[in-house]
Amino acid sequence: MIEFESVTKRYPDGTVAVDGVDLRAESGEITVLVGPSGCGKTTSLRMINRMVEPTGGRILVDGADNTATDAAKLRRGMGYVIQHAGLFPHRTVIDNIATVPYLLGWNRAKARARAMELLDRVGLDAQLAKRYPAQLSGGQQQRVGVARALAADPPVMLMDEPFSAVDPVVREGLQDEFLRLQNELDKTIVFVTHDIDEAIKLGDKVAVLRTGGTLAQFAAPKELLSRPVDEFVAGFVGKDRGYRALSFTPADGITYDPEPAVALGASAEHARATARDGWVLVVDDRQRPQGWVDVGRLTSEVTPELLHRGGTVGSVTGSLRSALDAALSSPTGRGVMADDDGRLVGAVSTATVLALLDPPTSDAAGGNGGGTTGNGRSNGGSGRGGHDTGSTTGAPR
Ligand code: ADP
Ligand code: MG
């Protein structure tokens, strides 16, 4: 656990980069620091491993003031990942990853074995081991950067915009893999980004900083989206946060409509008799949804070529967003929902999902929150209504 107690950093030229910040990064969690450029994110991160010393307040690592630990020793327990990976250009990938083990005096064979293991862990082919960083794509370089930071298995990882330099598609892949990795590794991670979507996606807790280095809000993503404390945070998390907040609301409050289905190979008569509004759902022999068939196109039996693909199947143990995505992506408007084994549970309409969004209690909570933005924004009728209208009248996604 890492705690900031009224931490301030005033650089010698008088710039106050961080101003009286209190926050706590729990062990085994991802704590994200997010905010516009210049708001003190990097400075905050560097004070944790003492690359920068605070001018006020203190930072505790597992309860002990970090200035009590020798800086070099402190850093060995904290992997550090930066934008553009910061790899050594004249060292091969494997030697880059083994940097810290070498420094720690591991023998070469052991350090390299560990490096190869990590290469695999971060999803890179063993063949890349002998390449130089310039021979890798940006996304591959970032993975090597993560592998290098993990090499000595430090309990803490400090990550400064590690994925910001790669394009959005690659970035999403890196984020997904990073979350998968963290699931296995359970590190205490402090992650810096300027990208609010990345913060919301990765953070167990998110600290929103504002220019001047003050903490605007420190909360779980869901709370940040549903109850921004002020205009700054509200503006920063974005107007469509009502829609994004769906990702954090479980779908378990939904009552599903039964959706009759047929198997591949079913006769055209049977499919027509089962269909509703001209479409029938097709499942495999284990009741797993395969797609919809337009019975108007049926001549003989239900074949794979007739399946309308591209719709998403929602998970009943997933979020409301997965249910809404399923409904919005279904040619019938009936979102197909499945259990954890992929078996059909039933269907849900867009209207059903949206009806769950604005229960009276959420209005009341917003009102009680009493913030100038709490009420008007957190019930967010306009944002969500607007999004829904746009999507349902537009092409299925
Ligand atoms: P961020 O990472 O959020 O972009 P930084 O922590 O890098 O922000 O910087 C916060 C503020 O401190 C900025 O105004 C920046 O110009 C200033 N700053 C950063 N490093 C120094 C330094 N070594 N000396 C003086 N000012 C600095
Ligand atoms: Mg920075």
Side-chain angles (χ1 to χ4, degrees):
M1 183 172 66
I2 296 165
E3 292 162 283
F4 279 51
E5 289 184 351
S6 316
V7 173
T8 293
K9 174 63 184 181
R10 179 191 293 269
Y11 283 108
D13 68 359
T15 307
V16 178
V18 177
D19 192 1
V21 167
D22 288 292
L23 58 84
R24 183 209 289 238
E26 300 287 348
S27 299
E29 290 196 349
I30 301 173
T31 303
V32 178
L33 309 183
V34 67
S37 178
C39 69
K41 303 181 296 292
T42 295
T43 301
S44 297
L45 199 68
R46 289 170 154 247
M47 287 192 286
I48 296 172
N49 69 2
R50 296 185 60 195
M51 291 163 82
V52 173
E53 299 286 355
T55 49
R58 56 181 197 157
I59 295 174
L60 307 178
V61 178
D62 292 332
D65 193 323
N66 70 347
T67 58
T69 306
D70 168 66
K73 182 161 178 250
L74 190 73
R75 276 171 219 159
R76 280 199 293 273
M78 298 181 175
Y80 191 58
V81 188
I82 57 173
Q83 199 172 347
H84 297 298
L87 301 176
F88 301 113
H90 303 300
R91 289 191 199 163
T92 58
V93 164
I94 189 168
D95 285 336
N96 262 286
I97 297 175
T99 300
V100 176
Y102 289 156
L103 284 175
L104 291 174
W106 295 20
N107 76 49
R108 226 174 152 70
K110 184 181 164 202
R112 292 184 148 228
R114 170 74 178 152
M116 291 307 290
E117 179 194 321
L118 282 162
L119 201 59
D120 181 54
R121 260 254 151 92
V122 298
L124 291 176
D125 198 291
Q127 287 178 352
L128 300 181
K130 296 239 167 64
R131 291 211 195 157
Y132 289 92
Q135 297 171 306
L136 303 180
S137 71
Q140 289 171 333
Q141 289 181 27
Q142 285 305 148
R143 284 169 202 230
V144 174
V146 171
R148 182 176 64 175
L150 286 169
D153 203 19
V156 173
M157 293 275 281
L158 306 178
M159 309 181 74
D160 194 350
E161 310 237 13
F163 309 143
S164 295
V166 296
D167 73 62
V169 176
V170 175
R171 190 189 302 184
E172 279 215 12
L174 288 170
Q175 291 165 347
D176 293 341
E177 224 152 85
F178 172 65
L179 285 176
R180 210 156 36 238
L181 202 61
Q182 166 66 354
N183 242 340
E184 295 167 17
L185 300 179
D186 256 350
K187 300 291 182 190
T188 304
I189 296 171
V190 184
F191 189 106
V192 162
T193 180
H194 64 271
D195 175 352
I196 185 67
D197 286 331
E198 183 165 79
I200 297 290
K201 176 171 176 178
L202 300 182
D204 292 301
K205 291 283 282 293
V206 177
V208 181
L209 296 165
R210 69 173 100 226
T211 310
T214 54
L215 184 62
Q217 188 167 4
F218 184 46
K222 182 181 174 176
E223 192 182 340
L224 215 57
L225 293 167
S226 58
R227 297 188 192 193
V229 289
D230 60 19
E231 289 293 337
F232 171 77
V233 178
F236 196 69
V237 299
K239 292 186 172 54
D240 61 338
R241 69 181 174 282
Y243 177 67
R244 286 199 245 120
L246 291 176
S247 303
F248 303 96
T249 309
D252 53 15
I254 299 178
T255 310
Y256 299 103
D257 306 317
E259 183 64 47
V262 301
L264 278 173
S267 71
E269 296 78 59
H270 178 50
R272 276 197 200 92
T274 310
R276 290 188 298 154
D277 298 330
W279 290 86
V280 67
L281 185 65
V282 179
V283 292
D284 69 4
D285 55 1
R286 289 164 63 187
Q287 290 295 306
R288 293 176 302 197
Q290 304 299 299
W292 294 96
V293 165
D294 175 353
V295 292
R297 295 178 54 207
L298 271 179
T299 49
S300 53
E301 62 184 31
V302 175
T303 57
E305 305 80 67
L306 290 169
L307 290 173
H308 173 97
R309 299 189 190 270
T312 64
V313 175
S315 161
V316 295
T317 57
S319 66
L320 281 186
R321 182 157 175 177
S322 100
L324 185 61
D325 283 339
L328 290 173
S329 66
S330 166
T332 64
R334 307 198 292 273
V336 180
M337 301 294 291
D339 64 17
D340 286 341
D341 296 321
R343 283 190 297 257
L344 177 65
V345 172
V348 65
S349 70
T350 307
T352 301
V353 179
L354 294 178
L356 290 172
L357 291 184
D358 273 332
T361 50
S362 102
D363 285 358
N368 292 340
T372 49
T373 60
N375 191 14
R377 289 172 180 267
S378 69
N379 67 21
S382 61
R384 289 194 282 260
H387 189 101
D388 174 46
T389 305
S391 296
T392 47
T393 54
R397 296 170 315 126

